[in-house]
Amino acid sequence: MTKDAWRTKNYWDKIRIWFMPTGWRPADVKDKYPIKIIENVYDFKRYDTEASSLFKGYSVFQMLVTLMLMLYMFYNFQKLGFNDLLLFGAFLFVGIYGYTTLMDGKKYAVWIEALRSVLGIGYILA
C-alpha cells in the first residue's frame, strides 16, 4: 500500500488508498505496476516456511522478550531520557526485524541477531 501511495500521481488516491477495500489500487498504479491477484482464495499456496520446534521456541522467546522490553520502556518513559528512548526503540526495532527475517529464512538474519546480541550485552554492561 505504501508503494502504491507513493507511485500514484493522483493526490486524492494517495489518501484514498488507506480507506478503500482490500485489493483496491489506483488505476495508474494498477496499469504500470501489475501484481498477481489471487482469484480463488480457497485454493492457493499459502506462505509457509519450514521451522523446527526449537526454532519456533526461540521465536516465541524473542517475542516475549520484546514484549517485556516494550512494557519496560513504556512504564519507565519519564525516567528514561530522550536519547535512551531513541536507543531503546532502535534496539527493539532491530530485534523485531532480526527475528522476523530469521523466520523468513533469510541468511543475513543470523548476522543481525548476532549484532543485536553483542549490542545488547554491551548496553547492559555499560
Side-chain angles (χ1 to χ4, degrees):
M1 287 175 51
T2 304
K3 285 182 183 179
D4 286 352
W6 177 261
R7 290 173 176 167
T8 187
K9 303 290 186 233
N10 186 331
Y11 289 106
W12 175 241
D13 284 344
K14 289 181 183 290
I15 297 168
R16 194 166 70 152
I17 192 170
W18 303 105
F19 302 100
M20 295 302 288
T22 302
W24 182 87
R25 297 180 75 204
D28 59 339
V29 174
K30 190 186 304 184
D31 294 337
K32 193 171 182 180
Y33 303 97
I35 59 172
K36 182 182 175 189
I37 297 173
I38 298 170
E39 300 293 333
N40 183 359
V41 295
Y42 299 107
D43 185 31
F44 71 98
K45 182 168 174 31
R46 294 178 182 267
Y47 180 76
D48 189 23
T49 55
E50 296 294 322
S52 67
S53 297
L54 182 64
F55 183 64
K56 289 178 185 177
Y58 173 78
S59 299
V60 170
F61 172 74
Q62 289 297 331
M63 287 189 285
L64 291 174
V65 168
T66 301
L67 175 65
M68 288 188 300
L69 289 173
M70 286 174 59
L71 289 174
Y72 174 81
M73 183 178 75
F74 292 141
Y75 183 74
N76 295 303
F77 190 77
Q78 287 186 334
K79 293 178 187 174
L80 298 171
F82 181 72
N83 291 336
D84 286 335
L85 284 172
L86 286 178
L87 185 63
F88 210 92
F91 182 75
L92 287 172
F93 177 79
V94 170
I96 293 168
Y97 180 73
Y99 70 75
T100 54
T101 51
L102 194 62
M103 289 188 291
D104 278 341
K106 308 289 185 192
K107 295 193 185 303
Y108 64 87
V110 175
W111 293 106
I112 295 172
E113 285 290 292
L115 176 66
R116 183 174 69 99
S117 298
V118 169
L119 291 175
I121 292 170
Y123 184 73
I124 290 170
L125 294 176

